[in-house]
Amino acid sequence: DRGVQAARAADGAFAMAFVPDGRESSVDLSRLSGGTVEAWWYDVATGSAASVGDLAASGVWAFTPPGVNGSVLVLDDATRGFPPPGEGS
């Protein structure tokens, strides 16, 4: 079974979850720092990122990837000013 693999920065600045298929995944956004989380789907095949939007960093949110061939959910503390996934610093 190919399951979801996730990691979070120790300070809560960001989290990432690789979703190998089209399954919905739930994430507790209160585990991230800041009051707003900037969410993205990163397509590992094309290297492109699609914004999910800015979300309140509270409670559990459900995310469904845009495709079924493997995507990375990237969650950033919006106050950190990280660039979109794949664009570097």
Side-chain angles (χ1 to χ4, degrees), residues 32-46:
L32 296 165
S33 63
T36 303
V37 172
E38 191 169 12
W40 302 87
W41 280 111
Y42 180 75
D43 185 317
V44 296
T46 65

Side-chain angles (χ1 to χ4, degrees), residues 13 33-39 53-55 57 75-82:
S33 63
T36 303
V37 172
E38 191 169 12
D54 291 340
L55 310 171
L75 304 166
D76 294 329
D77 174 346
T79 65
R80 305 289 180 112
F82 294 128

Side-chain angles (χ1 to χ4, degrees), residues 9-51:
D11 65 357
F14 63 88
M16 293 181 227
F18 175 69
V19 183
D21 51 28
R23 79 179 74 183
E24 179 181 279
S25 299
S26 297
V27 180
D28 182 356
L29 296 186
S30 69
R31 303 284 315 254
L32 296 165
S33 63
T36 303
V37 172
E38 191 169 12
W40 302 87
W41 280 111
Y42 180 75
D43 185 317
V44 296
T46 65
S48 62
S51 176

Side-chain angles (χ1 to χ4, degrees), residues 58-80:
S58 62
V60 176
W61 290 71
F63 297 91
T64 302
V68 296
N69 295 322
S71 296
V72 178
L73 176 64
V74 178
L75 304 166
D76 294 329
D77 174 346
T79 65
R80 305 289 180 112

